[in-house]
mmCIF file of all heavy atoms in Angstrom:
data_model
loop_
_atom_site.group_PDB
_atom_site.id
_atom_site.type_symbol
_atom_site.label_atom_id
_atom_site.label_comp_id
_atom_site.label_asym_id
_atom_site.label_seq_id
_atom_site.Cartn_x
_atom_site.Cartn_y
_atom_site.Cartn_z
ATOM 1 N N GLN A 42 53.544 186.830 71.526
ATOM 2 C CA GLN A 42 54.639 187.114 72.442
ATOM 3 C C GLN A 42 55.390 185.831 72.760
ATOM 4 O O GLN A 42 55.033 184.737 72.296
ATOM 5 C CB GLN A 42 54.113 187.751 73.729
ATOM 6 C CG GLN A 42 53.542 189.144 73.520
ATOM 7 C CD GLN A 42 53.263 189.850 74.817
ATOM 8 O OE1 GLN A 42 53.872 189.578 75.846
ATOM 9 N NE2 GLN A 42 52.321 190.781 74.787
ATOM 10 N N SER A 43 56.430 185.970 73.531
ATOM 11 C CA SER A 43 57.259 184.814 73.867
ATOM 12 C C SER A 43 56.674 184.052 75.049
ATOM 13 O O SER A 43 55.702 184.481 75.664
ATOM 14 C CB SER A 43 58.667 185.283 74.195
ATOM 15 O OG SER A 43 59.521 184.187 74.364
ATOM 16 N N LEU A 44 57.271 182.923 75.341
ATOM 17 C CA LEU A 44 56.869 182.155 76.512
ATOM 18 C C LEU A 44 57.579 182.712 77.738
ATOM 19 O O LEU A 44 58.794 182.930 77.723
ATOM 20 C CB LEU A 44 57.255 180.681 76.352
ATOM 21 C CG LEU A 44 56.417 179.858 75.401
ATOM 22 C CD1 LEU A 44 56.880 180.049 73.973
ATOM 23 C CD2 LEU A 44 56.495 178.388 75.775
ATOM 24 N N MET A 45 56.807 182.889 78.786
ATOM 25 C CA MET A 45 57.383 183.398 80.029
ATOM 26 C C MET A 45 57.125 182.388 81.139
ATOM 27 O O MET A 45 55.995 181.927 81.323
ATOM 28 C CB MET A 45 56.753 184.741 80.400
ATOM 29 C CG MET A 45 56.982 185.842 79.376
ATOM 30 S SD MET A 45 58.732 186.238 79.145
ATOM 31 C CE MET A 45 59.120 186.948 80.731
ATOM 32 N N LEU A 46 58.157 182.078 81.876
ATOM 33 C CA LEU A 46 58.012 181.135 82.980
ATOM 34 C C LEU A 46 57.153 181.744 84.074
ATOM 35 O O LEU A 46 57.389 182.879 84.486
ATOM 36 C CB LEU A 46 59.395 180.776 83.534
ATOM 37 C CG LEU A 46 59.410 179.802 84.711
ATOM 38 C CD1 LEU A 46 58.965 178.411 84.249
ATOM 39 C CD2 LEU A 46 60.807 179.729 85.321
ATOM 40 N N MET A 47 56.173 180.980 84.512
ATOM 41 C CA MET A 47 55.319 181.428 85.609
ATOM 42 C C MET A 47 55.804 180.860 86.935
ATOM 43 O O MET A 47 55.914 181.563 87.935
ATOM 44 C CB MET A 47 53.879 180.967 85.392
ATOM 45 C CG MET A 47 53.197 181.535 84.175
ATOM 46 S SD MET A 47 51.562 180.829 83.975
ATOM 47 C CE MET A 47 50.726 181.471 85.428
ATOM 48 N N ALA A 48 56.073 179.560 86.917
ATOM 49 C CA ALA A 48 56.425 178.901 88.172
ATOM 50 C C ALA A 48 57.097 177.572 87.898
ATOM 51 O O ALA A 48 56.956 176.988 86.823
ATOM 52 C CB ALA A 48 55.186 178.686 89.028
ATOM 53 N N THR A 49 57.843 177.134 88.898
ATOM 54 C CA THR A 49 58.521 175.841 88.869
ATOM 55 C C THR A 49 57.984 175.015 90.023
ATOM 56 O O THR A 49 57.927 175.518 91.159
ATOM 57 C CB THR A 49 60.030 176.020 89.031
ATOM 58 O OG1 THR A 49 60.514 176.876 87.997
ATOM 59 C CG2 THR A 49 60.743 174.677 88.981
ATOM 60 N N SER A 50 57.598 173.802 89.740
ATOM 61 C CA SER A 50 57.102 172.968 90.838
ATOM 62 C C SER A 50 57.875 171.669 90.905
ATOM 63 O O SER A 50 58.151 171.042 89.887
ATOM 64 C CB SER A 50 55.603 172.685 90.674
ATOM 65 O OG SER A 50 55.356 171.766 89.636
ATOM 66 N N ASN A 51 58.236 171.327 92.095
ATOM 67 C CA ASN A 51 58.889 170.047 92.357
ATOM 68 C C ASN A 51 57.925 169.162 93.132
ATOM 69 O O ASN A 51 57.199 169.631 94.015
ATOM 70 C CB ASN A 51 60.173 170.255 93.165
ATOM 71 C CG ASN A 51 61.222 170.984 92.362
ATOM 72 O OD1 ASN A 51 61.665 170.502 91.332
ATOM 73 N ND2 ASN A 51 61.604 172.152 92.824
ATOM 74 N N GLU A 52 57.920 167.904 92.793
ATOM 75 C CA GLU A 52 56.972 166.980 93.399
ATOM 76 C C GLU A 52 57.069 166.995 94.914
ATOM 77 O O GLU A 52 58.160 166.904 95.466
ATOM 78 C CB GLU A 52 57.231 165.572 92.853
ATOM 79 C CG GLU A 52 56.232 164.534 93.322
ATOM 80 C CD GLU A 52 56.700 163.782 94.546
ATOM 81 O OE1 GLU A 52 57.904 163.757 94.802
ATOM 82 O OE2 GLU A 52 55.843 163.206 95.244
ATOM 83 N N GLY A 53 55.908 167.192 95.526
ATOM 84 C CA GLY A 53 55.839 167.133 96.976
ATOM 85 C C GLY A 53 56.201 168.409 97.689
ATOM 86 O O GLY A 53 56.172 168.447 98.926
ATOM 87 N N SER A 54 56.537 169.449 96.964
ATOM 88 C CA SER A 54 56.865 170.703 97.635
ATOM 89 C C SER A 54 56.133 171.866 96.976
ATOM 90 O O SER A 54 55.551 171.718 95.901
ATOM 91 C CB SER A 54 58.373 170.954 97.632
ATOM 92 O OG SER A 54 58.858 171.028 96.317
ATOM 93 N N LYS A 55 56.173 172.994 97.625
ATOM 94 C CA LYS A 55 55.459 174.164 97.101
ATOM 95 C C LYS A 55 56.146 174.690 95.851
ATOM 96 O O LYS A 55 57.369 174.628 95.717
ATOM 97 C CB LYS A 55 55.417 175.270 98.161
ATOM 98 C CG LYS A 55 54.506 174.965 99.334
ATOM 99 C CD LYS A 55 54.435 176.152 100.285
ATOM 100 C CE LYS A 55 53.480 175.863 101.436
ATOM 101 N NZ LYS A 55 53.381 177.009 102.383
ATOM 102 N N ALA A 56 55.340 175.239 94.986
ATOM 103 C CA ALA A 56 55.882 175.792 93.748
ATOM 104 C C ALA A 56 56.642 177.091 94.015
ATOM 105 O O ALA A 56 56.338 177.821 94.959
ATOM 106 C CB ALA A 56 54.758 176.045 92.764
ATOM 107 N N THR A 57 57.602 177.344 93.166
ATOM 108 C CA THR A 57 58.343 178.603 93.215
ATOM 109 C C THR A 57 57.851 179.483 92.076
ATOM 110 O O THR A 57 57.958 179.101 90.914
ATOM 111 C CB THR A 57 59.854 178.346 93.040
ATOM 112 O OG1 THR A 57 60.309 177.463 94.059
ATOM 113 C CG2 THR A 57 60.620 179.659 93.116
ATOM 114 N N TYR A 58 57.334 180.644 92.427
ATOM 115 C CA TYR A 58 56.732 181.521 91.440
ATOM 116 C C TYR A 58 57.720 182.585 90.994
ATOM 117 O O TYR A 58 58.520 183.085 91.780
ATOM 118 C CB TYR A 58 55.485 182.196 92.012
ATOM 119 C CG TYR A 58 54.334 181.238 92.215
ATOM 120 C CD1 TYR A 58 54.288 180.400 93.329
ATOM 121 C CD2 TYR A 58 53.310 181.153 91.290
ATOM 122 C CE1 TYR A 58 53.245 179.510 93.511
ATOM 123 C CE2 TYR A 58 52.253 180.272 91.464
ATOM 124 C CZ TYR A 58 52.226 179.454 92.577
ATOM 125 O OH TYR A 58 51.188 178.571 92.751
ATOM 126 N N GLU A 59 57.614 182.960 89.725
ATOM 127 C CA GLU A 59 58.441 184.045 89.212
ATOM 128 C C GLU A 59 57.876 185.383 89.680
ATOM 129 O O GLU A 59 56.692 185.500 90.033
ATOM 130 C CB GLU A 59 58.477 184.003 87.690
ATOM 131 C CG GLU A 59 59.159 182.763 87.132
ATOM 132 C CD GLU A 59 60.605 182.657 87.557
ATOM 133 O OE1 GLU A 59 61.395 183.574 87.235
ATOM 134 O OE2 GLU A 59 60.953 181.652 88.231
ATOM 135 N N GLN A 60 58.737 186.348 89.668
ATOM 136 C CA GLN A 60 58.331 187.680 90.108
ATOM 137 C C GLN A 60 57.167 188.180 89.268
ATOM 138 O O GLN A 60 57.187 188.061 88.036
ATOM 139 C CB GLN A 60 59.519 188.639 89.978
ATOM 140 C CG GLN A 60 59.332 189.945 90.691
ATOM 141 C CD GLN A 60 60.628 190.770 90.705
ATOM 142 O OE1 GLN A 60 61.600 190.431 90.028
ATOM 143 N NE2 GLN A 60 60.644 191.815 91.484
ATOM 144 N N GLY A 61 56.179 188.714 89.938
ATOM 145 C CA GLY A 61 55.027 189.268 89.243
ATOM 146 C C GLY A 61 53.900 188.273 89.015
ATOM 147 O O GLY A 61 52.831 188.674 88.533
ATOM 148 N N VAL A 62 54.108 187.022 89.358
ATOM 149 C CA VAL A 62 53.051 186.011 89.210
ATOM 150 C C VAL A 62 52.394 185.796 90.565
ATOM 151 O O VAL A 62 53.068 185.455 91.532
ATOM 152 C CB VAL A 62 53.622 184.685 88.673
ATOM 153 C CG1 VAL A 62 52.519 183.637 88.570
ATOM 154 C CG2 VAL A 62 54.294 184.894 87.333
ATOM 155 N N GLU A 63 51.082 186.006 90.621
ATOM 156 C CA GLU A 63 50.378 185.894 91.900
ATOM 157 C C GLU A 63 50.143 184.435 92.267
ATOM 158 O O GLU A 63 49.385 183.729 91.594
ATOM 159 C CB GLU A 63 49.033 186.608 91.798
ATOM 160 C CG GLU A 63 49.132 188.084 91.451
ATOM 161 C CD GLU A 63 47.747 188.672 91.220
ATOM 162 O OE1 GLU A 63 46.911 188.558 92.139
ATOM 163 O OE2 GLU A 63 47.488 189.207 90.133
ATOM 164 N N LYS A 64 50.731 183.999 93.336
ATOM 165 C CA LYS A 64 50.602 182.594 93.714
ATOM 166 C C LYS A 64 49.201 182.244 94.207
ATOM 167 O O LYS A 64 48.792 181.094 94.133
ATOM 168 C CB LYS A 64 51.643 182.221 94.766
ATOM 169 C CG LYS A 64 51.544 183.008 96.057
ATOM 170 C CD LYS A 64 52.641 182.568 97.014
ATOM 171 C CE LYS A 64 52.590 183.333 98.308
ATOM 172 N NZ LYS A 64 53.683 182.918 99.237
ATOM 173 N N ASP A 65 48.483 183.248 94.708
ATOM 174 C CA ASP A 65 47.122 182.977 95.162
ATOM 175 C C ASP A 65 46.134 182.915 94.008
ATOM 176 O O ASP A 65 45.025 182.407 94.150
ATOM 177 C CB ASP A 65 46.673 184.055 96.154
ATOM 178 C CG ASP A 65 47.475 184.000 97.442
ATOM 179 O OD1 ASP A 65 47.932 182.888 97.801
ATOM 180 O OD2 ASP A 65 47.663 185.047 98.081
ATOM 181 N N LYS A 66 46.548 183.428 92.886
ATOM 182 C CA LYS A 66 45.679 183.411 91.712
ATOM 183 C C LYS A 66 45.972 182.182 90.840
ATOM 184 O O LYS A 66 45.077 181.593 90.273
ATOM 185 C CB LYS A 66 45.883 184.669 90.886
ATOM 186 C CG LYS A 66 45.002 184.708 89.658
ATOM 187 C CD LYS A 66 45.060 186.054 88.992
ATOM 188 C CE LYS A 66 44.123 186.079 87.795
ATOM 189 N NZ LYS A 66 42.724 185.879 88.182
ATOM 190 N N PHE A 67 47.222 181.842 90.758
ATOM 191 C CA PHE A 67 47.640 180.695 89.951
ATOM 192 C C PHE A 67 48.137 179.608 90.914
ATOM 193 O O PHE A 67 49.311 179.576 91.281
ATOM 194 C CB PHE A 67 48.731 181.106 88.971
ATOM 195 C CG PHE A 67 48.295 182.147 87.984
ATOM 196 C CD1 PHE A 67 48.605 183.487 88.191
ATOM 197 C CD2 PHE A 67 47.563 181.800 86.861
ATOM 198 C CE1 PHE A 67 48.202 184.458 87.288
ATOM 199 C CE2 PHE A 67 47.151 182.761 85.947
ATOM 200 C CZ PHE A 67 47.471 184.090 86.163
ATOM 201 N N LEU A 68 47.216 178.718 91.255
ATOM 202 C CA LEU A 68 47.536 177.676 92.222
ATOM 203 C C LEU A 68 48.144 176.478 91.496
ATOM 204 O O LEU A 68 47.564 175.946 90.560
ATOM 205 C CB LEU A 68 46.269 177.237 92.966
ATOM 206 C CG LEU A 68 45.531 178.343 93.724
ATOM 207 C CD1 LEU A 68 44.286 177.780 94.384
ATOM 208 C CD2 LEU A 68 46.432 178.998 94.748
#
Side-chain angles (χ1 to χ4, degrees):
Chain A
Q42 293 190 26
S43 187
L44 286 83
M45 298 298 293
L46 179 69
M47 296 176 66
T49 303
S50 73
N51 293 299
E52 185 266 339
S54 60
K55 289 184 178 180
T57 302
Y58 290 80
E59 295 299 300
Q60 194 171 10
V62 178
E63 301 174 56
K64 60 181 179 181
D65 294 331
K66 180 171 182 62
F67 298 99
L68 302 179

